[in-house]
Amino acid sequence: MRLLFLMFWFMLQLFINAQTLFSPNKNLKLIFELNKDKEPIYTLLFKDETVIKKSKLGILLKELPSFDNDFIIERYESTEFDEVWKPVWGEVKEIRNNYSELKVTLKQNKVKGRNLILTFRLFDDGLGFRYEFPSSRNLHYFVVTDELTEFNLTEDHSAFWIPGDYDSQEYKYTLSKLSEVDALKGNNANEIGVKSIFDKYGVQTPLMLKTSKPLYINIHEAVLVNYPAMHLLIDAEENKLSAHLVPDVLGSKAYLQAPEKTPWRTIIVSDKAEEILMSKLILNLNEPCTFEDVSWIYPQKYIGIWWEMHVGTGSWNYSDTNNVKLNQTDWSKLKPNGRHAANTKRTKEYIDFAAKHGFKGVLVEGWNVGWEDWFGNWKEEVFDFVTPYPDFNLGELSEYAKAKNVKLIMHHETSASVANYERRMDEAYRLMNKFGYDAVKTGYVGRIIPRGEHHDGQSMVNHFIHTAKTTAKYKIMLNAHESVRPTGLHRTYPNWLANEAARGNEFNAWSSGNLPEHETILPFTRLMGGPMDYTPGIFQIKLDYFIPGKKEQVKTTLTKQLALYVTMYSPLQMAADYPESYERFPDAFQFIKDVDVDWDDTRILKAEPGDYIITARKSKNSDNWFLGAITDEQKREFTISLNFLDSGKNYKARIYSDADNAHWEINPMGYKIGEFIVTSETSLKLKLAESGGTAISFFPATSEESSQIKKY
Amino acid sequence: MRLLFLMFWFMLQLFINAQTLFSPNKNLKLIFELNKDKEPIYTLLFKDETVIKKSKLGILLKELPSFDNDFIIERYESTEFDEVWKPVWGEVKEIRNNYSELKVTLKQNKVKGRNLILTFRLFDDGLGFRYEFPSSRNLHYFVVTDELTEFNLTEDHSAFWIPGDYDSQEYKYTLSKLSEVDALKGNNANEIGVKSIFDKYGVQTPLMLKTSKPLYINIHEAVLVNYPAMHLLIDAEENKLSAHLVPDVLGSKAYLQAPEKTPWRTIIVSDKAEEILMSKLILNLNEPCTFEDVSWIYPQKYIGIWWEMHVGTGSWNYSDTNNVKLNQTDWSKLKPNGRHAANTKRTKEYIDFAAKHGFKGVLVEGWNVGWEDWFGNWKEEVFDFVTPYPDFNLGELSEYAKAKNVKLIMHHETSASVANYERRMDEAYRLMNKFGYDAVKTGYVGRIIPRGEHHDGQSMVNHFIHTAKTTAKYKIMLNAHESVRPTGLHRTYPNWLANEAARGNEFNAWSSGNLPEHETILPFTRLMGGPMDYTPGIFQIKLDYFIPGKKEQVKTTLTKQLALYVTMYSPLQMAADYPESYERFPDAFQFIKDVDVDWDDTRILKAEPGDYIITARKSKNSDNWFLGAITDEQKREFTISLNFLDSGKNYKARIYSDADNAHWEINPMGYKIGEFIVTSETSLKLKLAESGGTAISFFPATSEESSQIKKY
């Protein structure tokens, strides 16, 4: 009888063509089915309420029958997975990877001898799914012309969005209903110049949605490998999002060979905004690291000859001519403009500063020839990555840094001339090894060469991974700017410390800048896929200090800049200002010197996208904790429990906060520092100015400190 | 009075806007002028008869005023040049570079602050001219959208042509009037598969023209660097040829930065066909070699595991699966097909054969993984150039070859996946250094990746040069197949021994083959720009010997195959057949063993394009001479004076000739060998069969030989 029932149930399943999957804690529910056209459909519910309505899946092929309809389910496989793994570096010491998986093997009536596999992994915090193309008799080489993945929403949700753009993510975020998205509107101009907005209704991922409930829904992808980036196209009438893949120069999306898997499409769901930031779903979907030796990889804080060029007191270029040629120009004969920052003397000053204050790395931009005409000319042979300017002595500085136990950080601005970079890569990394550089910051400012390709296309995606693999061969760490936005690959390539791939702090130096809310949004969007080299830590907020009449300023208070070291997670953090700025405020600078970049534990205490974030983190292999609290253009007050601290212990809390009359525009640099003894029982009152912040270090207090410092 | 006259004359010149230039021997005359639209015009006369009628020059730019009309002559400069230089290797020991040069500096009314320079060099054997863009206030970065260069002919000349094609030159030649050219006609199918014929009236260079007089006119280019290849478009009504540059994926032709120079457009003229073949104009226009050390470069003869794959008894691929992936496939688990020729045992046999018979090099194709699905899939990650198949032992063969004083020649078939090759290049060359390979044959079969680019476009032109430079860094010699056709750059990069870039001997193995006239045309066309790795020396002419029922054959007699070593100049010559074929005919093989590949002197005794070529060459640093005579489908007889030999000396002439009843189709392998004493006074009678040939070695005779061997 039982057997009959099972058989009936099994056949019923096949007949219904629907399968259900639950997350381990049962809060999330996935339904998979085929509709009447035998198209694959998925639905996602959170606590029994629909999050994603019935949404299609499918892949269109070039000159081959598409994976679109006419499907038959060959079989289902369900598995459970639960393990704990340790990242090489990260926000936490251990990560639990716990999911229920449903694997659906499909075939189609119209094509024999090939399958499509859909894999769904349901975690407590969200869903990941991908397409898999097993090697089969009738599927070898194929070209994807479109992906039909939909995300059908229940309402016209609010979204924190930036325009879908094949080449740039350097936009300010807009908060609006999906139906009100207009990617083409003027105020979305980024000041970089290479824009490839594809549609008025096109937006990028990670996309942060907030429903009316509110429910928080974050859409992105994981494991972007050998495939173009996924953008989203909004159908305002249907409240529908569709995948929009970035095309190559010929209009195709991906050139694939079975067996192959697409990236995971990820939907993180929670009724608590904090849990969005805590999610490890994207990392959990990524492949483990396979490096045998990771001893050469280390999180670090660094300073650099960099901000002065953005501010304008220094230049990347050595000379002010606008026409130079590698292998032809006699660099020693160029007339120096007197503003070239990357010179031997200045670099030694930075090395001295780094050594004095415990910074491991010193980045130097503008050290190598080619900057005179690097931008806007679509120049192919733009940099050689090995020839220094006449005033930058590689050997001398290599010795000097070594003697001071400081590492120079290499800079490879490629000007998006990628073929040139790939040709010269090995030689450039060999030079790094020779002169003791173990980390490189790359840049891709400009239009891609090979001409016609996009930063977010399949070939560029593969280039960035190629760079991560090649640097790893040379035991070099990587920080890639103007790259495709990350999707968790730093789990697999832990030398890939960070990317930019968003509008960073630098925009404050020479453009309309970043809005006060910017840093309260980025962790909910850009940082979902991986760390960002945001380059915080600007103390001299108003830049007319450096150039009289200069109007630009960073749109935060000074202590918000400190708090960013905690709220903007990255294993690579820059103290971005001129050393001279830090020398003027050594007490505030102490926080940057103290804060860690690698963590055993992280707590998102309070967070609301676009409004505020309060994060606490525990230092790696240490009892120290750090807290960062930031707000948008509104001043705010919070009462925070310190129950994350070890109980029964005294901590010395050094609190860096906005002065009472601080304001990002009126008095951004007003701050105060107080020191108190606290315990896990303490409740702290935080008072944040407009675009203000509070940063706190918690060190276990000695008995002497416990008696001498007053209790909070 | 004289001063007045000079001023008048000078102003007259400017007023006339015409300048005249004579070649050193005055036979060639160039006239440069501006027409009524102030367009630059050139005319070329040979012995007072017009060769090129008034023809326009000009360059069209993208989004900038073009260099097309409205010109003013700023100044003229005339110079004479006469020097003798020695090539690192070549057809002759010394080359005289003697020309009159006219440099015209132009400006335009419509654009201030920029110039165009036209440089004409007139040699006794022809004209070279190019455009130069000096660095100027108003010219830095610019994009060429078209070149207006014309070659206006006086009549509807006969031409030996192949279709203009952005990706292939592997066509049979057609002889027809220019007005009858039809590049699209079916019989011009090349059996390679990647065709990009651009126009019914489009043809390639080198283009060999024969007028009714007859005058011989050869149009090509020299120093093709950082520019796309020039094809020609015929205007049948006007008897006009126009330059047609190969576009990039976006439709532009060249991305340039001033200062820049275009390639030289070359027009070689003579009333003697032999002088076309003797011309050194293209080499003379090229830049001298700047390598400090050339000791690692040497001309050579080689054999190889190669022909058997074209014939079909062996395969490149190890296994017959059609779906493999680098870094994923377990090659040791593949099922060997039993026909993989590049295995350790077979390679040792070739090494033994090479050592026994004095061949320096052994090429091995199919040694590395990836051949299972390399062709037709537009696969990017196709080869890694470092992983051998399970049956090919790199280390063991490296030792074996070394012990026998033989060099293995590396093979890098790129499958036209150029970005992949550039990424892997350094590692691949390091492997070559490690295992003692000092020469590499590259291949570019397929559609180019970066997708959308062409074999003949600017970026590919630069890739081939990049490869020559990079191999030189590793002291590696280069033989590039399916590359852009050469333009004399082997003067500058003498490690770049040869290219294919035309329809080679291999086509005889698996297609309709090469016509009997093919080899009498190639030196007048393809070889004008540089040596060709034609891979001659097939003894077993009919291939059903190897595969019963196989219809293909080489379309020449055996002794024509011998003669090719002399008539088809290359510093790199293959004895292409199976070693077993040579072992069957050791007496004929002796010629291949004896013939040199580097020369002190060359005489074109008699030549007519499409009909016959008779060439004699003197061995480098030796008194030996070699003669090769070939004919097309017609049998021919010649009387040849041996007055090129040193007078007053006896030579032992070993004459390898067609048997009396030889015929390329009926009895291709019938040959006879005779030995005679000859002197510079001797007249030899040559009797060539249909598509036949005669090969002769001349060694100074010892007194013993002089008395024992009979006089001719």
Side-chain angles (χ1 to χ4, degrees):
Chain A
M1 191 57 196
R2 206 146 159 229
L3 190 62
L4 268 175
F5 176 76
L6 277 172
M7 281 171 63
F8 172 73
W9 177 85
F10 182 68
M11 288 171 66
L12 193 69
Q13 294 304 312
L14 288 175
F15 185 69
I16 295 173
N17 272 343
Q19 274 290 302
T20 310
L21 183 70
F22 285 95
S23 62
N25 69 3
K26 308 278 184 261
N27 279 347
L28 279 164
K29 176 178 173 184
L30 168 89
I31 302 171
F32 173 79
E33 61 196 310
L34 298 177
N35 66 8
K36 60 171 173 47
D37 292 322
K38 303 294 179 234
E39 295 166 321
I41 304 291
Y42 77 103
T43 310
L44 185 66
L45 298 90
F46 177 74
K47 295 180 179 171
D48 289 319
E49 291 198 30
T50 305
V51 175
I52 305 287
K53 292 190 320 192
K54 291 191 189 197
S55 297
K56 285 194 214 180
L57 299 169
I59 301 277
L60 297 186
L61 303 183
K62 181 174 179 174
E63 290 165 10
L64 285 177
S66 288
F67 287 109
D68 47 0
N69 55 26
D70 193 37
F71 283 103
I72 299 167
I73 296 167
E74 234 181 46
R75 70 176 168 281
Y76 294 106
E77 291 159 71
S78 288
T79 46
E80 307 289 321
F81 189 86
D82 197 351
E83 77 159 11
V84 170
W85 61 278
K86 290 184 198 304
V88 174
W89 43 257
E91 299 181 73
V92 292
K93 184 174 179 172
E94 286 182 353
I95 296 175
R96 185 181 183 196
N97 185 10
N98 181 216
Y99 60 81
S100 303
E101 176 181 293
L102 173 68
K103 207 167 207 162
V104 186
T105 303
L106 300 160
K107 62 183 182 188
Q108 290 163 292
N109 270 319
K110 59 185 179 181
V111 188
K112 305 296 174 209
R114 75 175 198 190
N115 290 105
L116 177 71
I117 298 176
L118 299 171
T119 307
F120 300 88
R121 281 188 190 167
L122 206 45
F123 304 75
D124 284 344
D125 51 1
L127 168 68
F129 64 87
R130 69 176 172 191
Y131 301 81
E132 191 178 334
F133 311 96
S135 196
S136 41
R137 183 169 48 84
N138 257 341
L139 194 71
H140 299 294
Y141 296 91
F142 56 105
V143 177
V144 172
T145 56
D146 221 343
E147 182 177 325
L148 304 176
T149 302
E150 294 176 341
F151 306 85
N152 280 341
L153 306 165
T154 53
E155 278 177 347
D156 185 13
H157 301 322
S158 297
F160 293 86
W161 61 270
I162 53 175
D165 183 319
Y166 299 153
D167 281 289
S168 177
Q169 317 92 345
E170 292 180 333
Y171 295 89
K172 295 178 202 174
Y173 282 87
T174 302
L175 169 63
S176 80
K177 297 285 188 195
L178 286 170
S179 62
E180 293 161 1
V181 164
D182 185 348
L184 300 168
K185 240 160 66 176
N187 66 5
N188 271 322
N190 63 343
E191 293 82 341
I192 283 300
V194 181
K195 292 201 292 193
S196 307
I197 293 175
F198 58 90
D199 194 286
K200 173 180 172 180
Y201 283 111
V203 297
Q204 304 203 20
T205 77
L207 182 71
M208 185 70 238
L209 301 170
K210 183 174 173 181
T211 79
S212 54
K213 201 173 190 289
L215 198 65
Y216 298 90
I217 305 169
N218 192 290
I219 298 176
H220 189 37
E221 52 180 337
V223 196
L224 176 58
V225 173
N226 198 30
Y227 207 73
M230 176 184 76
H231 291 252
L232 298 170
L233 193 58
I234 300 164
D235 180 336
E237 286 178 35
E238 301 279 329
N239 297 326
K240 174 161 76 175
L241 302 169
S242 303
H244 179 93
L245 302 180
V246 177
D248 84 335
V249 65
L250 303 179
S252 293
K253 309 288 177 124
Y255 300 83
L256 302 178
Q257 177 191 358
E260 188 63 85
K261 299 167 183 164
T262 68
W264 296 91
R265 282 71 189 82
T266 59
I267 308 169
I268 297 172
V269 184
S270 181
D271 41 18
K272 295 189 183 55
E274 294 82 5
E275 284 183 359
I276 300 292
L277 298 186
M278 287 305 303
S279 172
K280 297 292 175 284
L281 187 143
I282 286 176
L283 276 177
N284 276 329
L285 288 170
N286 270 268
E287 294 299 308
C289 167
T290 54
F291 294 177
E292 278 178 16
D293 170 27
V294 294
S295 62
W296 51 278
I297 300 169
Y298 55 92
Q300 53 180 289
K301 284 178 287 188
Y302 71 102
I303 61 170
I305 297 178
W306 171 80
W307 184 237
E308 58 200 280
M309 284 90 86
H310 286 274
V311 169
T313 60
S315 70
W316 284 274
N317 45 306
Y318 171 78
S319 162
D320 283 343
T321 175
N322 63 350
N323 197 7
V324 292
K325 273 194 173 188
L326 299 177
N327 300 328
Q328 282 191 39
T329 297
D330 185 342
W331 307 98
S332 67
K333 292 205 160 64
L334 289 184
K335 183 162 174 289
N337 62 16
R339 299 186 333 276
H340 180 233
N343 58 69
T344 303
K345 177 169 176 295
R346 187 82 172 128
T347 307
K348 284 183 177 175
E349 288 165 8
Y350 271 76
I351 292 170
D352 290 342
F353 185 90
K356 180 175 176 189
H357 296 286
F359 288 85
K360 188 64 184 177
V362 174
L363 167 73
V364 181
E365 292 198 5
W367 70 275
N368 57 324
V369 302
W371 285 95
E372 279 69 20
D373 60 358
W374 74 288
F375 178 70
N377 295 311
W378 217 356
K379 184 177 180 181
E380 180 152 9
E381 296 285 309
V382 55
F383 293 109
D384 66 13
F385 314 105
V386 296
T387 307
Y389 276 119
D391 60 349
F392 187 86
N393 191 316
L394 271 169
E396 190 180 331
L397 288 166
S398 171
E399 291 303 313
Y400 195 85
K402 189 172 177 183
K404 300 251 175 178
N405 197 26
V406 162
K407 286 288 198 182
L408 288 170
I409 295 177
M410 176 51 72
H411 184 229
H412 288 164
E413 173 55 61
T414 70
S415 192
S417 182
V418 172
N420 177 59
Y421 188 46
E422 289 192 345
R423 279 190 285 267
R424 298 181 184 273
M425 210 179 250
D426 280 82
E427 196 187 358
Y429 298 157
R430 280 200 295 272
L431 181 130
M432 284 180 65
N433 284 166
K434 176 177 172 183
F435 288 106
Y437 292 72
D438 63 6
V440 61
K441 168 181 171 179
T442 57
Y444 295 83
V445 175
R447 285 171 291 175
I448 299 291
I449 296 174
R451 295 186 173 87
E453 294 298 332
H454 295 290
H455 286 72
D456 278 4
Q458 181 190 24
S459 58
M460 282 303 297
V461 163
N462 286 337
H463 165 74
F464 293 119
I465 296 168
H466 172 68
T467 305
K469 288 180 176 174
T470 310
T471 45
K473 274 204 312 194
Y474 289 87
K475 293 187 167 20
I476 287 168
M477 293 171 279
L478 175 65
N479 169 21
H481 280 225
E482 296 89 25
S483 63
V484 71
R485 74 274 185 279
T487 59
L489 289 169
H490 52 287
R491 174 177 181 186
T492 317
Y493 306 106
N495 63 313
W496 198 347
L497 297 182
N499 295 274
E500 186 193 45
R503 193 177 174 96
N505 213 9
E506 69 196 25
F507 273 77
N508 292 311
W510 39 258
S511 75
S512 58
N514 301 336
L515 298 169
E517 63 180 13
H518 193 58
E519 298 93 346
T520 69
I521 299 173
L522 282 174
F524 285 95
T525 53
R526 163 62 182 78
L527 270 69
M528 293 301 290
M532 178 176 177
D533 183 33
Y534 188 69
T535 63
I538 299 302
F539 279 11
Q540 180 50 54
I541 297 289
K542 288 187 186 274
L543 302 176
D544 57 0
Y545 178 90
F546 302 105
I547 297 179
K550 188 170 170 64
K551 295 185 170 22
E552 286 87 359
Q553 70 160 96
V554 176
K555 296 197 171 79
T556 78
T557 65
L558 187 150
T559 52
K560 181 172 171 182
Q561 289 290 308
L562 297 179
L564 290 175
Y565 286 91
V566 186
T567 65
M568 295 279 287
Y569 168 66
S570 178
L572 183 69
Q573 293 279 24
M574 188 177 192
D577 211 334
Y578 296 70
E580 292 82 358
S581 302
Y582 298 126
E583 283 167 345
R584 287 164 53 210
F585 308 100
D587 52 352
F589 188 45
Q590 190 60 40
F591 182 83
I592 301 180
K593 292 172 67 170
D594 288 341
V595 76
D596 208 335
V597 280
D598 201 11
W599 310 101
D600 271 351
D601 197 3
T602 293
R603 312 290 176 87
I604 310 296
L605 304 179
K606 261 175 157 30
E608 188 60 44
D611 292 347
Y612 54 85
I613 298 177
I614 305 177
T615 306
R617 303 190 195 267
K618 186 179 188 194
S619 224
K620 195 167 211 75
N621 298 327
S622 153
D623 289 323
N624 297 342
W625 279 84
F626 293 84
L627 181 146
I630 62 171
T631 180
D632 63 355
E633 69 284 347
Q634 284 188 51
K635 63 185 181 191
R636 296 178 199 269
E637 293 187 23
F638 297 97
T639 302
I640 294 296
S641 161
L642 299 184
N643 59 8
F644 51 83
L645 299 172
D646 288 350
S647 53
K649 226 160 154 166
N650 278 347
Y651 289 83
K652 177 176 69 180
R654 188 174 292 158
I655 304 177
Y656 306 73
S657 54
D658 296 309
D660 293 332
N661 60 353
H663 182 289
W664 71 266
E665 199 166 22
I666 301 164
N667 179 24
M669 289 162 69
Y671 67 91
K672 54 188 182 180
I673 301 176
E675 224 171 56
F676 304 93
I677 295 296
V678 300
T679 70
S680 63
E681 311 272 301
T682 311
S683 269
L684 277 187
K685 281 203 177 330
L686 306 182
K687 209 166 149 195
L688 278 55
E690 289 84 345
S691 195
T694 300
I696 310 176
S697 58
F698 301 90
F699 299 136
T702 62
S703 8
E704 198 184 343
E705 288 168 333
S706 294
S707 52
Q708 289 188 348
I709 300 171
K710 71 174 187 273
K711 271 186 139 45
Y712 185 80
Chain B
M1 191 57 195
R2 209 148 157 228
L3 189 62
L4 268 173
F5 175 74
L6 278 173
M7 282 170 62
F8 172 73
W9 177 85
F10 181 69
M11 288 171 63
L12 191 67
Q13 294 302 312
L14 289 175
F15 185 68
I16 293 172
N17 274 341
Q19 274 289 303
T20 310
L21 183 70
F22 286 95
S23 62
N25 69 1
K26 310 280 183 258
N27 279 345
L28 280 164
K29 175 178 173 184
L30 169 87
I31 302 170
F32 172 80
E33 60 195 312
L34 299 177
N35 66 7
K36 59 172 171 50
D37 293 322
K38 303 295 177 232
E39 296 167 319
I41 304 291
Y42 78 102
T43 311
L44 185 66
L45 298 90
F46 177 75
K47 294 182 180 170
D48 287 322
E49 291 197 30
T50 305
V51 175
I52 305 286
K53 293 189 322 196
K54 292 190 189 199
S55 298
K56 284 193 213 176
L57 299 169
I59 301 276
L60 297 186
L61 304 182
K62 181 174 178 172
E63 291 165 11
L64 284 177
S66 287
F67 287 109
D68 47 358
N69 54 26
D70 194 37
F71 282 103
I72 299 166
I73 296 169
E74 233 181 46
R75 70 176 169 281
Y76 293 107
E77 291 159 70
S78 287
T79 47
E80 306 289 322
F81 189 87
D82 197 350
E83 78 157 12
V84 171
W85 60 279
K86 290 186 201 298
V88 174
W89 43 259
E91 298 183 73
V92 292
K93 184 174 178 167
E94 287 181 352
I95 295 175
R96 184 180 185 196
N97 186 8
N98 182 214
Y99 59 81
S100 304
E101 175 179 295
L102 174 67
K103 207 170 206 156
V104 185
T105 302
L106 300 160
K107 62 184 182 185
Q108 289 163 292
N109 271 319
K110 57 185 178 180
V111 187
K112 306 296 174 212
R114 76 174 197 191
N115 290 105
L116 176 70
I117 298 176
L118 299 171
T119 307
F120 300 88
R121 282 188 190 168
L122 207 43
F123 303 77
D124 285 345
D125 51 2
L127 168 69
F129 64 87
R130 69 177 172 190
Y131 302 80
E132 191 177 332
F133 311 96
S135 197
S136 40
R137 183 169 48 85
N138 257 342
L139 194 71
H140 298 294
Y141 296 92
F142 56 107
V143 177
V144 174
T145 55
D146 221 343
E147 182 178 323
L148 304 176
T149 303
E150 294 176 342
F151 306 87
N152 280 341
L153 305 166
T154 52
E155 278 176 348
D156 185 14
H157 302 321
S158 297
F160 293 85
W161 61 270
I162 52 176
D165 183 318
Y166 299 153
D167 283 288
S168 177
Q169 317 93 344
E170 293 179 333
Y171 296 89
K172 296 176 202 175
Y173 281 86
T174 302
L175 170 63
S176 80
K177 298 284 188 197
L178 286 170
S179 61
E180 293 160 0
V181 164
D182 185 349
L184 301 167
K185 240 160 68 172
N187 65 5
N188 269 323
N190 63 343
E191 293 81 343
I192 283 303
V194 181
K195 292 200 291 191
S196 308
I197 294 176
F198 60 90
D199 194 287
K200 172 180 174 180
Y201 283 111
V203 296
Q204 303 205 22
T205 74
L207 181 70
M208 186 70 238
L209 300 169
K210 184 175 172 182
T211 77
S212 53
K213 201 175 190 293
L215 199 65
Y216 299 89
I217 305 168
N218 192 291
I219 299 175
H220 189 38
E221 52 180 336
V223 196
L224 177 57
V225 174
N226 196 30
Y227 207 74
M230 175 183 77
H231 291 252
L232 299 170
L233 193 58
I234 300 163
D235 179 336
E237 286 179 34
E238 302 279 327
N239 297 325
K240 176 161 75 177
L241 303 168
S242 303
H244 179 94
L245 302 179
V246 177
D248 83 335
V249 65
L250 303 179
S252 294
K253 308 291 177 123
Y255 300 83
L256 302 179
Q257 176 190 359
E260 189 62 84
K261 299 167 184 165
T262 68
W264 296 92
R265 280 73 189 80
T266 59
I267 307 169
I268 297 172
V269 184
S270 179
D271 40 19
K272 296 188 184 54
E274 294 81 5
E275 286 183 359
I276 299 291
L277 298 185
M278 286 305 303
S279 174
K280 296 291 176 283
L281 186 145
I282 286 176
L283 276 177
N284 277 329
L285 288 169
N286 270 269
E287 294 299 309
C289 167
T290 54
F291 294 178
E292 278 177 16
D293 169 27
V294 295
S295 61
W296 50 277
I297 300 170
Y298 54 92
Q300 53 182 289
K301 285 179 286 186
Y302 72 103
I303 59 171
I305 296 178
W306 172 81
W307 184 237
E308 57 201 280
M309 284 89 88
H310 286 273
V311 169
T313 59
S315 71
W316 284 272
N317 45 306
Y318 171 78
S319 163
D320 283 342
T321 175
N322 63 350
N323 199 7
V324 292
K325 273 193 173 185
L326 298 177
N327 300 327
Q328 282 191 38
T329 298
D330 185 342
W331 307 97
S332 67
K333 289 206 164 60
L334 289 183
K335 182 164 176 284
N337 61 17
R339 300 187 332 275
H340 180 234
N343 58 68
T344 303
K345 177 170 178 291
R346 185 84 173 127
T347 306
K348 283 184 177 174
E349 287 166 8
Y350 271 76
I351 293 170
D352 290 344
F353 185 90
K356 179 176 177 189
H357 295 286
F359 288 84
K360 189 65 186 174
V362 174
L363 167 74
V364 181
E365 294 198 3
W367 69 275
N368 57 324
V369 301
W371 286 94
E372 279 69 20
D373 61 357
W374 74 289
F375 177 70
N377 294 311
W378 216 356
K379 185 177 181 181
E380 180 152 10
E381 296 285 309
V382 55
F383 291 110
D384 68 11
F385 313 104
V386 296
T387 308
Y389 276 121
D391 60 349
F392 186 87
N393 192 316
L394 270 169
E396 190 180 332
L397 287 167
S398 170
E399 292 302 312
Y400 195 85
K402 189 173 179 185
K404 299 250 175 177
N405 197 27
V406 162
K407 287 286 197 182
L408 287 170
I409 296 176
M410 176 52 71
H411 184 229
H412 288 164
E413 175 55 61
T414 69
S415 192
S417 183
V418 171
N420 176 60
Y421 189 45
E422 288 191 345
R423 279 189 286 265
R424 298 181 184 274
M425 210 178 252
D426 279 79
E427 195 187 359
Y429 298 157
R430 281 200 296 271
L431 181 130
M432 285 179 64
N433 284 167
K434 174 177 174 184
F435 288 107
Y437 291 72
D438 64 6
V440 60
K441 168 181 170 179
T442 57
Y444 295 83
V445 175
R447 286 170 290 177
I448 298 291
I449 295 175
R451 294 186 174 88
E453 294 297 333
H454 295 290
H455 286 73
D456 278 5
Q458 180 189 25
S459 59
M460 281 305 295
V461 163
N462 286 338
H463 164 76
F464 294 120
I465 296 168
H466 171 68
T467 305
K469 288 178 175 174
T470 311
T471 45
K473 272 201 319 192
Y474 289 88
K475 293 188 166 19
I476 287 168
M477 294 170 281
L478 175 64
N479 170 21
H481 281 226
E482 297 88 27
S483 62
V484 71
R485 74 276 184 281
T487 60
L489 289 169
H490 52 287
R491 175 177 181 186
T492 317
Y493 307 106
N495 63 312
W496 197 348
L497 297 181
N499 294 273
E500 185 193 45
R503 193 176 174 97
N505 212 9
E506 69 196 27
F507 273 77
N508 292 309
W510 37 258
S511 75
S512 58
N514 301 336
L515 297 171
E517 63 181 12
H518 193 60
E519 298 92 348
T520 68
I521 299 172
L522 282 175
F524 286 96
T525 54
R526 164 60 183 79
L527 271 68
M528 293 302 289
M532 178 177 177
D533 183 33
Y534 188 68
T535 64
I538 300 300
F539 279 12
Q540 181 49 54
I541 297 288
K542 288 186 186 273
L543 303 177
D544 56 0
Y545 178 91
F546 303 105
I547 298 178
K550 187 170 172 65
K551 294 187 170 23
E552 287 87 357
Q553 70 161 96
V554 175
K555 295 196 171 78
T556 76
T557 64
L558 188 149
T559 51
K560 181 172 172 183
Q561 289 289 309
L562 298 179
L564 291 175
Y565 286 90
V566 186
T567 65
M568 295 279 288
Y569 169 67
S570 178
L572 184 70
Q573 294 278 25
M574 188 176 192
D577 211 333
Y578 298 69
E580 291 83 358
S581 301
Y582 298 127
E583 283 165 347
R584 288 162 53 210
F585 308 100
D587 53 352
F589 188 44
Q590 189 61 40
F591 181 83
I592 300 180
K593 292 172 66 170
D594 288 340
V595 76
D596 208 336
V597 278
D598 202 10
W599 311 100
D600 271 352
D601 196 3
T602 292
R603 311 291 174 88
I604 310 296
L605 304 179
K606 262 176 154 35
E608 189 60 45
D611 290 348
Y612 54 84
I613 297 177
I614 305 178
T615 305
R617 303 189 194 269
K618 185 179 187 194
S619 224
K620 195 166 213 75
N621 297 329
S622 155
D623 289 325
N624 297 341
W625 280 83
F626 293 84
L627 181 147
I630 61 171
T631 180
D632 63 356
E633 70 284 347
Q634 281 188 50
K635 62 184 181 192
R636 295 179 200 269
E637 293 188 23
F638 297 98
T639 303
I640 292 297
S641 159
L642 299 184
N643 58 8
F644 51 84
L645 298 173
D646 288 352
S647 54
K649 227 162 154 164
N650 278 347
Y651 290 81
K652 178 179 70 177
R654 188 173 293 157
I655 304 177
Y656 306 72
S657 55
D658 295 311
D660 292 333
N661 60 354
H663 181 289
W664 69 267
E665 198 166 22
I666 301 165
N667 178 25
M669 290 163 69
Y671 67 90
K672 53 188 184 179
I673 302 177
E675 224 170 53
F676 303 94
I677 295 295
V678 300
T679 70
S680 61
E681 312 271 303
T682 311
S683 269
L684 277 188
K685 283 203 174 336
L686 306 181
K687 208 166 150 197
L688 280 52
E690 289 84 345
S691 196
T694 301
I696 310 177
S697 58
F698 299 91
F699 299 136
T702 63
S703 7
E704 200 183 339
E705 287 167 331
S706 294
S707 52
Q708 290 188 348
I709 299 170
K710 71 172 184 275
K711 272 187 140 44
Y712 185 81

